[in-house]
Tab-separated table of all heavy atoms in Angstrom:
chain	number	residue	atom	x	y	z
M	110	ASN	N	-22.515	25.999	-48.420
M	110	ASN	CA	-23.029	27.237	-49.000
M	110	ASN	C	-21.911	27.978	-49.732
M	110	ASN	O	-21.399	28.993	-49.260
M	110	ASN	CB	-23.651	28.111	-47.910
M	110	ASN	CG	-24.331	29.343	-48.485
M	110	ASN	OD1	-24.681	29.384	-49.669
M	110	ASN	ND2	-24.515	30.355	-47.664
M	111	PHE	N	-21.522	27.448	-50.874
M	111	PHE	CA	-20.515	28.083	-51.727
M	111	PHE	C	-21.194	29.005	-52.728
M	111	PHE	O	-22.240	28.673	-53.293
M	111	PHE	CB	-19.735	27.024	-52.508
M	111	PHE	CG	-18.521	26.495	-51.803
M	111	PHE	CD1	-18.645	25.560	-50.788
M	111	PHE	CD2	-17.252	26.912	-52.165
M	111	PHE	CE1	-17.529	25.050	-50.151
M	111	PHE	CE2	-16.130	26.409	-51.534
M	111	PHE	CZ	-16.262	25.485	-50.523
M	112	VAL	N	-20.566	30.153	-52.964
M	112	VAL	CA	-20.989	31.058	-54.025
M	112	VAL	C	-19.750	31.473	-54.808
M	112	VAL	O	-18.628	31.427	-54.296
M	112	VAL	CB	-21.718	32.302	-53.477
M	112	VAL	CG1	-22.994	31.898	-52.755
M	112	VAL	CG2	-20.811	33.112	-52.565
M	113	ALA	N	-19.965	31.886	-56.056
M	113	ALA	CA	-18.854	32.272	-56.926
M	113	ALA	C	-18.948	33.751	-57.278
M	113	ALA	O	-20.017	34.224	-57.696
M	113	ALA	CB	-18.848	31.426	-58.194
M	114	HIS	N	-17.836	34.471	-57.100
M	114	HIS	CA	-17.727	35.870	-57.471
M	114	HIS	C	-16.310	36.119	-57.997
M	114	HIS	O	-15.373	35.397	-57.611
M	114	HIS	CB	-17.974	36.796	-56.273
M	114	HIS	CG	-19.364	36.757	-55.739
M	114	HIS	ND1	-20.463	37.101	-56.495
M	114	HIS	CD2	-19.831	36.421	-54.504
M	114	HIS	CE1	-21.550	36.980	-55.755
M	114	HIS	NE2	-21.201	36.565	-54.545
M	115	PRO	N	-16.122	37.115	-58.836
M	115	PRO	CA	-14.750	37.486	-59.229
M	115	PRO	C	-13.929	37.826	-57.986
M	115	PRO	O	-14.393	38.545	-57.100
M	115	PRO	CB	-14.952	38.718	-60.121
M	115	PRO	CG	-16.354	38.606	-60.618
M	115	PRO	CD	-17.139	37.968	-59.502
M	116	MET	N	-12.703	37.290	-57.934
M	116	MET	CA	-11.865	37.461	-56.754
M	116	MET	C	-10.447	37.840	-57.152
M	116	MET	O	-10.016	37.609	-58.285
M	116	MET	CB	-11.835	36.177	-55.919
M	116	MET	CG	-13.171	35.718	-55.392
M	116	MET	SD	-13.042	34.283	-54.279
M	116	MET	CE	-12.341	35.062	-52.818
M	117	ARG	N	-9.727	38.374	-56.177
M	117	ARG	CA	-8.299	38.624	-56.354
M	117	ARG	C	-7.601	38.385	-55.027
M	117	ARG	O	-8.209	38.449	-53.953
M	117	ARG	CB	-8.035	40.050	-56.833
M	117	ARG	CG	-8.208	41.122	-55.778
M	117	ARG	CD	-7.556	42.442	-56.201
M	117	ARG	NE	-7.519	43.377	-55.110
M	117	ARG	CZ	-8.305	44.436	-54.985
M	117	ARG	NH1	-9.234	44.688	-55.911
M	117	ARG	NH2	-8.182	45.262	-53.953
M	118	SER	N	-6.314	38.091	-55.113
M	118	SER	CA	-5.480	37.936	-53.921
M	118	SER	C	-4.165	38.648	-54.152
M	118	SER	O	-3.653	38.701	-55.275
M	118	SER	CB	-5.239	36.455	-53.608
M	118	SER	OG	-4.574	35.823	-54.688
M	119	THR	N	-3.610	39.201	-53.086
M	119	THR	CA	-2.324	39.900	-53.150
M	119	THR	C	-1.481	39.444	-51.977
M	119	THR	O	-1.904	39.548	-50.816
M	119	THR	CB	-2.513	41.422	-53.075
M	119	THR	OG1	-3.379	41.846	-54.129
M	119	THR	CG2	-1.172	42.135	-53.197
M	120	ILE	N	-0.294	38.920	-52.268
M	120	ILE	CA	0.654	38.511	-51.234
M	120	ILE	C	1.927	39.330	-51.436
M	120	ILE	O	2.663	39.114	-52.400
M	120	ILE	CB	0.981	37.007	-51.301
M	120	ILE	CG1	-0.292	36.165	-51.458
M	120	ILE	CG2	1.801	36.593	-50.078
M	120	ILE	CD1	-1.239	36.228	-50.306
M	121	GLU	N	2.193	40.283	-50.565
M	121	GLU	CA	3.406	41.095	-50.645
M	121	GLU	C	4.446	40.516	-49.703
M	121	GLU	O	4.190	40.333	-48.509
M	121	GLU	CB	3.110	42.542	-50.274
M	121	GLU	CG	2.284	43.290	-51.289
M	121	GLU	CD	2.154	44.764	-50.955
M	121	GLU	OE1	2.868	45.239	-50.027
M	121	GLU	OE2	1.342	45.451	-51.603
M	122	LEU	N	5.629	40.237	-50.238
M	122	LEU	CA	6.706	39.627	-49.460
M	122	LEU	C	7.745	40.672	-49.066
M	122	LEU	O	8.020	41.609	-49.817
M	122	LEU	CB	7.378	38.514	-50.259
M	122	LEU	CG	6.483	37.364	-50.722
M	122	LEU	CD1	7.301	36.337	-51.501
M	122	LEU	CD2	5.771	36.700	-49.549
M	123	ASP	N	8.317	40.487	-47.903
M	123	ASP	CA	9.429	41.312	-47.465
M	123	ASP	C	10.686	40.907	-48.238
M	123	ASP	O	11.021	39.721	-48.304
M	123	ASP	CB	9.651	41.120	-45.964
M	123	ASP	CG	10.712	42.038	-45.407
M	123	ASP	OD1	11.909	41.757	-45.631
M	123	ASP	OD2	10.352	43.036	-44.762
M	124	GLU	N	11.359	41.864	-48.836
M	124	GLU	CA	12.515	41.547	-49.685
M	124	GLU	C	13.643	40.906	-48.901
M	124	GLU	O	14.378	40.080	-49.447
M	124	GLU	CB	13.013	42.821	-50.374
M	124	GLU	CG	12.043	43.380	-51.408
M	124	GLU	CD	12.601	44.601	-52.108
M	124	GLU	OE1	13.745	45.012	-51.771
M	124	GLU	OE2	11.912	45.149	-52.994
M	125	SER	N	13.807	41.256	-47.641
M	125	SER	CA	14.944	40.743	-46.868
M	125	SER	C	14.691	39.357	-46.294
M	125	SER	O	15.634	38.580	-46.097
M	125	SER	CB	15.286	41.715	-45.733
M	125	SER	OG	14.188	41.861	-44.846
M	126	THR	N	13.412	39.014	-46.016
M	126	THR	CA	13.115	37.728	-45.380
M	126	THR	C	12.308	36.782	-46.260
M	126	THR	O	12.207	35.597	-45.939
M	126	THR	CB	12.305	37.963	-44.088
M	126	THR	OG1	11.038	38.547	-44.428
M	126	THR	CG2	13.066	38.885	-43.136
Side-chain angles (χ1 to χ4, degrees):
N110 186 21
F111 271 78
V112 298
H114 294 299
M116 299 186 73
R117 74 164 190 255
S118 61
T119 303
I120 314 296
E121 290 187 10
L122 301 180
D123 185 284
E124 292 183 359
S125 61
T126 64

